[in-house]
Amino acid sequence: MSSAEPTEAEPTEAGSIEQTGPVVREAGRGPRPAAPVPPALPGLAESARRLADATTTSTALVADALARIEATQPTLNAFRHLRAASALAEAAEADRRLAAGERLPLLGVPVAVKDDTDVAGLPTHFGCDGDLPPVASDSEAVRRLRAAGAVVVGKTNSCELGQWPFTEGTAFGATRNPWNAAHTPGGSSGGSAAAVAAGLVPAALGSDGAGSVRIPAAWTHLVGIKPQRGRISVHPHSDSFQGLTVNGPLARTVADAALLLDAVAGAHPEDFHRPPAVRAADAARRDPGRLRIALAWRPPLTLTGAGPDPEVRRAVTALAETLARLGHHVEEARPRYGLIGLAFVPRATAGIAEFAARHPEPALLDPRTRSALRTGTRLGGRAVRAARAREVRQHRRIGALFDASGFDVLLTPTTAAPPPRIGRFDDLSAWRTDVAMAAACPYAWPWNVLGWPGVNVPAGFTRSGLPIGAQLLGPSRSEERLISLAAQLEDDLRWFERRPPV
């Protein structure tokens, strides 16, 4: 990590100022030489079990997480902000509570959140450059994490306003893939994915507005859950990115992702969307039964001519064959996507415009962001209202795959290509960036328009060792079915046994 020159001041309950330790050095300031890397942390459920059994302490786990972040920051650059002093103090308090017999689902377990998520005392840069003030209060998701006992060690890197499937920017440099540092871990939750894949933290929160949990999960060999819209609150935002964006967990196992989902799920009183509760952890322990699974290779219309890379097709075909071997009926099908992109673009660009307009120094924004801001401003209002009004018809048309055709789950590649090299999108215009990322990632974003759940599962590796993912997609409120199916696949394929060399 960087030197300890910049620090974050965080108000304590008594109103005094506490130094929370070094903030990750931003781009251009030069990292220190890498320190030895401690062993990877155990998973989320295993960490909670060891804490409850008193075979480890929260102080030890949090200190190990911070040391591992420190050692890998020069190479992976996963974090934007750390809460070192605060996290260690909270870990000591968790140890006192554990010793007194208190038990909570994540009491004392270190986790990370993406830098679009408000954590009291830290700025929410959301991948942007510039000096932003610390926020006064936690987001609802972080409030629920704390209520479950988790210790938030820091905030992970995101590309600027979450727009792209890579995590690079002038504000913080490039976040790199633990499997191959010459490649991106994906975006926009690339920092969270890199942190979990490298074992810096047992699990992390990301957000998904066009695949931003599922894409980095696919490219780092993780489980990533995009839940139903409203399952995890996005408060203080009432309807993030015009309803496209949801928060979701990234973890190495289905059980860990489900445990984190249960911990943060639930609505804020001001939330628009309030789906009925699910029991994700229970679903991860349940047999899914015999399911009818549609395998779709053709993505929605993007005008790029994109199809799956041969290595992606090979890996997802092998996963489909595994599902058939496990007793499921798998057949190829074509969802009726229609012109769903006409509903996505106004909502996505209007969302970017809404966030960009809040930045105190717009000149610091990437030129591509400023282009999206202009587009979103033009398409706001009537175009966005029309796009959102089409959602009901899109539910009926695409939902016919489940309702009329009788399928339970849709299986597609998560991305059309393996993870690109760092710098692949440098110096591209806004239009050329959009075309390039639509060609690489054409499969994920329609489910954001619909607001329905999806789960990325690891599907294997390219011949050069780069991870590939597949997504299990379902109709409204089908998280439990998708999680059960993902857990069955994991039990057979045991993807968590393979880890990157970091």
Side-chain angles (χ1 to χ4, degrees):
M1 190 181 299
S2 57
S3 76
E5 172 201 335
T7 56
E8 284 297 335
E10 179 178 347
T12 63
E13 289 185 357
S16 61
I17 299 298
E18 175 197 5
Q19 297 299 331
T20 62
V23 175
V24 172
R25 188 182 283 275
E26 297 181 357
R29 295 185 181 176
R32 293 197 315 224
V37 182
L41 264 67
L44 198 70
E46 177 65 14
S47 294
R49 185 192 66 76
R50 293 184 190 183
L51 287 166
D53 292 347
T55 55
T56 190
T57 65
S58 179
T59 298
L61 289 178
V62 169
D64 283 352
L66 293 170
R68 195 165 172 83
I69 294 165
E70 180 84 19
T72 59
Q73 191 64 22
T75 49
L76 295 184
N77 188 30
F79 279 78
R80 183 74 182 265
H81 298 286
L82 287 183
R83 305 179 63 249
S86 291
L88 287 168
E90 291 166 14
E93 175 61 20
D95 287 331
R96 287 190 287 271
R97 294 165 68 184
L98 286 160
E102 185 174 354
R103 296 293 180 265
L104 292 169
L106 299 178
L107 184 54
V109 181
V111 298
V113 300
K114 183 178 176 180
D115 192 32
D116 63 345
T117 305
D118 285 354
V119 176
L122 296 177
T124 301
H125 281 100
F126 201 175
C128 297
D129 205 348
D131 294 323
L132 299 178
V135 301
S137 57
D138 292 331
S139 67
E140 178 66 13
V142 170
R143 187 196 69 78
R144 289 177 178 270
L145 271 179
R146 293 190 197 274
V151 177
V152 177
V153 297
K155 299 180 72 172
T156 57
N157 278 329
S158 164
C159 64
E160 194 167 284
L161 303 185
Q163 302 167 79
W164 305 306
F166 53 90
T167 302
E168 302 165 42
T170 57
F172 59 87
T175 297
R176 296 177 178 271
N177 196 316
W179 294 92
N180 185 325
H183 292 258
T184 180
S188 59
S189 305
S192 288
V196 176
L200 314 187
V201 288
L205 273 185
S207 61
D208 191 315
S212 288
V213 162
R214 289 163 289 157
I215 291 166
W219 285 347
T220 58
H221 197 63
L222 296 178
V223 176
I225 300 177
K226 175 215 171 298
Q228 177 77 21
R229 184 184 299 151
R231 177 74 60 212
I232 301 173
S233 176
V234 294
H235 191 270
H237 310 292
S238 58
D239 199 35
S240 188
F241 281 81
Q242 295 293 326
L244 296 177
T245 295
V246 298
N247 293 321
L250 292 127
R252 291 193 296 274
T253 68
V254 176
D256 283 355
L259 177 59
L260 187 58
L261 177 58
D262 280 342
V264 297
H268 184 275
E270 297 176 7
D271 285 348
F272 291 162
H273 309 288
R274 296 169 172 271
V278 296
R279 297 172 65 92
D282 288 348
R285 295 187 287 267
R286 192 163 60 233
D287 188 287
R290 187 173 186 270
L291 302 176
R292 293 193 72 230
I293 299 172
L295 171 60
W297 296 111
R298 185 174 180 178
L301 181 66
T302 60
L303 301 179
T304 65
D309 177 275
E311 292 205 272
V312 171
R313 190 174 184 106
R314 171 187 55 78
V316 177
T317 297
L319 193 79
E321 291 170 349
T322 298
L323 287 166
R325 175 171 54 77
L326 291 171
H328 303 290
H329 174 81
V330 183
E331 66 177 276
E332 292 193 17
R334 282 190 178 183
R336 294 176 55 226
Y337 291 115
L339 298 178
I340 193 170
L342 296 179
F344 174 77
V345 172
R347 294 168 69 171
T349 55
I352 293 168
E354 290 163 4
F355 275 86
R358 302 186 189 118
H359 197 283
E361 300 178 85
L364 295 177
L365 296 173
D366 189 292
R368 294 170 291 188
T369 301
R370 298 199 297 271
S371 174
L373 189 160
R374 292 189 293 271
T375 302
T377 301
R378 288 196 301 270
L379 295 180
R382 182 180 298 178
V384 168
R385 289 193 295 272
R388 299 204 69 166
R390 283 194 286 270
E391 189 176 304
V392 173
R393 295 193 296 276
Q394 290 157 347
H395 284 164
R396 287 197 297 265
R397 184 178 64 248
I398 299 173
L401 181 78
F402 307 106
D403 299 330
S405 299
F407 289 104
D408 300 298
V409 173
L410 172 64
L411 170 68
T412 79
T414 302
T415 68
R421 294 183 71 86
I422 295 289
R424 162 70 178 83
F425 300 91
D426 285 358
D427 303 320
L428 296 182
S429 67
W431 171 253
R432 288 175 62 83
T433 299
D434 289 345
V435 170
M437 69 180 186
C441 303
Y443 291 102
W445 56 268
W447 248 243
N448 296 87
V449 176
L450 301 172
W452 293 349
V455 178
N456 176 79
V457 294
F461 294 84
T462 67
R463 290 178 177 85
S464 62
L466 295 172
I468 294 169
Q471 54 178 354
L472 308 173
L473 303 170
S476 180
R477 304 172 184 178
S478 59
E479 288 103 321
E480 291 189 357
R481 179 188 303 157
L482 301 178
I483 289 168
S484 293
L485 181 59
Q488 184 187 50
L489 272 170
E490 179 180 87
D491 187 59
D492 186 83
L493 298 175
R494 301 187 69 79
W495 52 61
F496 54 86
E497 292 179 349
R498 187 166 177 179
R499 295 196 178 194
V502 174

